[in-house]
Amino acid sequence: MKKILCYGDSNTFGFNPIDGSRFDENTRWTALLQANLKNDFLITEEGMCDRTGFVDNPKGFLFSAQRHFPKFLLKSDNFDIIILAIGANDLQFQYNISFNAVQRGLAELIKTAQEKIDHIIIIPPVILNESILKGYFKIQFDETSMIKSRKMGTIYRKLSNAFNCRYFDINKIAQ
């Protein structure tokens, strides 16, 4: 049986912004992936709410992928595929992240993953729209976050090509 690691933030965890719960197995994308792949693959969900990919999160080690991901891979099972779905929380206005920092950070995560496995799939954050300014996350994101989110896919696609990874544009099916 092949093993797939799904590493990311609250979208990988399955956070439900309506009530703060976790989506069930009929809704979480990682659980749906497991259901569709049946017994041929084993999915490991390693999502964390508020996890950042490229900036040091003040909440600590588990919330900072740049610190957590390398150590997690060292102590984890050998995976056949790694799906990196990270970066949405870096768009919070408190971090004021630059595109250069996103590019450097994602490149480092990819290099770390490639030390363990050749098959990596990169998923960019969902493009933010005006609803982010009205809902659950309005205290974390602003108009600049929305603008930056529109350019993330280009960076992720460029690095996917540069590092010979697969790229999946989640924005074609989600919002």
Side-chain angles (χ1 to χ4, degrees), residues 70-88:
K71 289 185 174 43
F72 177 82
L73 284 182
L74 281 176
K75 68 177 182 88
S76 64
D77 292 335
N78 289 327
F79 294 103
D80 298 289
I81 300 170
I82 296 175
I83 299 174
L84 286 173
I86 192 88

Side-chain angles (χ1 to χ4, degrees), residues 3-124:
K3 298 177 185 176
I4 300 175
L5 169 65
C6 299
Y7 188 91
D9 52 30
S10 59
N11 294 313
T12 301
F13 174 78
F15 179 78
N16 181 348
I18 303 299
D19 62 10
S21 66
R22 186 178 195 199
F23 285 123
D24 64 24
E25 289 79 18
N26 297 314
T27 309
R28 277 195 321 271
W29 72 266
T30 50
L32 294 172
L33 181 63
Q34 180 67 74
N36 282 297
L37 295 175
K38 303 198 185 325
N39 294 328
D40 295 331
F41 291 86
L42 176 63
I43 304 299
T44 298
E45 299 172 322
E46 184 54 38
M48 170 72 71
C49 294
D50 205 29
R51 178 179 280 153
T52 55
F54 323 120
V55 298
D56 197 22
N57 191 314
K59 287 186 175 180
F61 174 75
L62 291 175
F63 295 89
S64 300
Q66 64 181 1
R67 293 174 30 207
H68 177 258
F69 185 62
K71 289 185 174 43
F72 177 82
L73 284 182
L74 281 176
K75 68 177 182 88
S76 64
D77 292 335
N78 289 327
F79 294 103
D80 298 289
I81 300 170
I82 296 175
I83 299 174
L84 286 173
I86 192 88
N89 291 311
D90 298 84
L91 297 170
Q92 294 176 32
F93 60 78
Q94 69 175 324
Y95 299 122
N96 192 28
I97 195 163
S98 70
F99 293 121
N100 286 335
V102 170
Q103 189 164 334
R104 279 191 311 274
L106 182 57
E108 285 304 313
L109 291 179
I110 292 170
K111 288 179 203 174
T112 299
Q114 286 181 331
E115 290 174 6
K116 289 276 276 194
I117 187 70
D118 293 331
H119 303 289
I120 301 164
I121 301 170
I122 308 298
I123 301 177

